[in-house]
Amino acid sequence: MNHDRREFLKATSLLAGASLAGGFTDLHAENLIAPRQKNARMKLRFRPYTLELKHVFTIANSSRSTTPVVLTEIEHDGVIGYGEASMPPYLGESHDTATAFLAKVDLSKYENPFELETILRDIDAIAPGNPAAKASVDIALHDLIGRLMGQPWYNIWGFKKTATPYTSFTIGIDTEDVVRQKTKEAAEFKLLKVKLGRDTDKMIIETIRSVTDKPITTDVNQGWKDKQFALDMAHWLKEKGVVFIEQPMPKEQVDDLAWLTEHSPLPIFGDEGVQRLPDVKKAVGVYSGINIKLMKCAGMREAHKMIVLARSLGLKVMMGCMTETSCAISAAAHLTPMVDYADLDGALLISNDVFDGTKVIDGKVTLTDRPGIGVKKL
Ligand code: MG
């Protein structure tokens, strides 16, 4: 039994005693809360941290070996929830922008941490943008709430713990030898995600096919510019056992993307072109599916709404990630019983994780039994 529950029971049994002795009963909810909880206020703490990548990670238009993150904690009545902002440089957030944003967040004015809708709406209104910084508060709040309830989020949301999908494992753009080596190292995974978008696309696919015939998903990161070229590639990739293509062309080429989605033999997913909730409706007719990431959409609460909306609009859904610690990966993992595909290998690509949480076991996203988002600080 956790501390809060003990306090709660102590408070209610004292009240029961008082009513017997004093001959009156006052069981209004506010009187059932232990006095020390009544004045508890949330405290937000945060610190910058830098993730070291195991391999240099190259996609269509950038290359890097580290990722800046900010680790957050929200404490309430002696219970701590953990969160994280991950900020690949090409998305525009940084240690400086995230810490400046978080310095403006005042959680001490809220009496009840369960009021997620109000608290997160207020935080979103502090400044436009900053989705990763906002997500770091959202995740820590969800973790805190789950811990206060003594329940993991898959239970709170009503998902079956084991209904999680396999996750793909990402192979970046690289030389033939390295691609072959990484494909062999990915033996545990049932699904590979391959980065395309340079002039080596066919070589990379052929190299992987010389090692394995497992299904491949592809991510072009806006690397192709011509719709006819993209359609020719889609036909070629289908013959090679590719399952779908993510963000084949620049997000601004909306008409070209819609034409490609209409004609392509493979589903076309939007990633860079779909950030937050209002983008889901705009994705209809442009993409066949969307890639939702907590760092784009400001956290778990909006991600949940996006999945529900996307499904109702007939879009396929993938849950993706940045390079992140097991904190943000675990948060995203609780939503995966609701999605078609998971791409949650972010914590496997770094060498200095600071959390134990969701793991990939035999290629499958595997949730822990712990409350909240299910993490333990290492
Ligand atoms: Mg992508």
Side-chain angles (χ1 to χ4, degrees), residues 97-112:
T97 63
T99 52
F101 181 88
L102 293 170
K104 294 179 198 152
V105 175
D106 175 17
L107 296 178
S108 68
K109 61 185 171 190
Y110 303 102
E111 287 186 25
N112 180 1

Side-chain angles (χ1 to χ4, degrees), residues 193 195 219 221 246 271-272 291 293:
K193 175 169 177 171
K195 293 290 191 178
D219 186 359
N221 290 111
E246 191 178 320
D271 179 4
E272 287 86 340
N291 185 349
K293 297 176 181 170

